[in-house]
Amino acid sequence: MPVTNLNSLIAAMAGSGQITVMNKASISSLVSGQTASLWQSAGLPGAGATPTSAAICSKDLVGAFPLINAAGGKVNYLSRVSFWLQNGVVQQIHDRLAHMAGLSGTVTSAQTVNLDVTGSASNLVARRGAADYSDVRWWIEGYSVLGASPQNLTVTYTNGAGTSGRTVVIPSAVIGGSFRPSRVIEIIGTDREPIRSVQSVQWAANTGTAGNFGVTATRTVASGFQSPAGTNSSMHLGAREIGLPRVENDACLFLLSTPEATFTGVFAGHCLIIEG
């Protein structure tokens, strides 16, 4: 039975649960306050591959936390996170819903993205959350360095209500020069409206180097794990602190990191997923 009260939580905690060990290498060449994806960071889990065509992600992808799906009407929950961090890092656990890459920093015509989370493959209906798509978050994600000349980037998308041809511009000042591998910038719809799919992106001018970047859709599972600035520290957070979030079947769990330095630092720890 799903966890709905203290007694069911105690019963779920009495089980052995699933323990995932996390040990991810540092991502460097950032600016303090920039967010990085640890999808391609070496360690445990292993580094994920650079995507090519648009694809729905699942627990079976290399780079995702190991996950055994709940069965028999039960539900998985993230109940505990223990970790060691450097440099004042805000750490987040996300479900990677869909991704694509192969976009260029030197093509100034519209580049096709066609990343869509409206389908039902890999339990996507449950994983994306609210029916209006307000739980889905969208990101520009770097895979190899772009040119040193920052440019505005126009994103064309379909909003949560199904209206196509919507656009939003990510300013050059936000993107900056030499957009780095693993860096992510959130795509926020006009007036913060939800987004269900992204059709294309277009640079205002050439960045100077093709590089490789893409678009990623995620849903936040848990966030706010932070070590004190400029220190190395360990933290242990239980169900009350992280809110006992559901981990839907087939979730492709991975980490996002926002450091108060130019690198994320080594991340080590483990999380416990229980079934109730």
Side-chain angles (χ1 to χ4, degrees):
M1 294 290 292
V3 173
T4 56
N5 54 45
L6 183 58
N7 287 338
S8 56
L9 174 59
I10 292 171
M13 294 290 288
S16 57
Q18 306 175 48
I19 295 178
T20 295
V21 175
M22 301 171 285
N23 192 336
K24 302 296 282 184
S26 180
I27 301 293
S28 60
S29 300
L30 298 172
V31 173
S32 176
Q34 290 182 352
T35 300
S37 164
L38 301 191
W39 178 248
Q40 293 199 306
S41 175
L44 292 172
T50 300
T52 52
S53 58
I56 302 302
C57 304
S58 76
K59 68 181 181 63
D60 298 320
L61 282 182
V62 174
F65 292 9
L67 177 67
I68 300 171
N69 283 341
K74 293 187 175 182
V75 178
N76 280 327
Y77 299 89
L78 181 64
S79 67
R80 186 177 73 232
V81 180
S82 298
F83 55 89
W84 179 84
L85 289 170
Q86 294 177 293
N87 299 322
V89 176
V90 175
Q91 201 72 270
Q92 303 178 47
I93 299 175
H94 281 237
D95 181 0
R96 193 177 182 96
L97 303 175
H99 61 192
M100 62 79 63
L103 303 175
S104 171
T106 59
V107 174
T108 56
S109 57
Q111 299 182 68
T112 300
V113 173
N114 282 349
L115 197 64
D116 189 331
V117 295
T118 62
S120 58
S122 299
N123 197 32
L124 197 56
V125 174
R127 291 170 58 201
R128 66 183 178 236
D132 65 356
Y133 298 89
S134 58
D135 289 332
V136 181
R137 300 177 70 180
W138 294 83
W139 311 84
I140 299 296
E141 183 165 359
Y143 293 97
S144 63
V145 66
L146 305 185
S149 299
Q151 308 294 340
N152 289 351
L153 183 67
T154 298
V155 180
T156 300
Y157 65 91
T158 298
N159 69 14
T163 303
S164 61
R166 303 286 289 168
T167 61
V168 66
V169 176
I170 302 176
S172 59
V174 172
I175 294 170
S178 302
F179 188 84
R180 307 297 303 179
S182 296
R183 187 182 167 202
V184 293
I185 296 174
E186 190 162 11
I187 303 168
I188 299 174
T190 300
D191 296 327
R192 305 194 71 86
E193 66 181 352
I195 297 172
R196 64 166 62 180
S197 63
V198 172
Q199 279 68 60
S200 66
V201 298
Q202 185 169 5
W203 292 108
N206 194 323
T207 71
T209 302
N212 186 350
F213 73 102
V215 174
T216 302
T218 75
R219 180 185 177 186
T220 306
V221 175
S223 64
F225 318 141
Q226 183 172 15
S227 59
T231 66
N232 300 333
S233 64
S234 61
M235 302 186 81
H236 307 278
L237 304 176
R240 183 176 63 180
E241 290 82 7
I242 60 178
L244 199 69
R246 290 173 64 126
V247 178
E248 302 292 353
N249 284 354
D250 290 328
C252 182
L253 301 180
F254 79 115
L255 296 166
L256 293 181
S257 181
T258 307
E260 295 181 2
T262 58
F263 58 97
T264 62
V266 173
F267 176 85
H270 72 271
C271 63
L272 174 65
I273 294 174
I274 60 173
E275 184 181 84

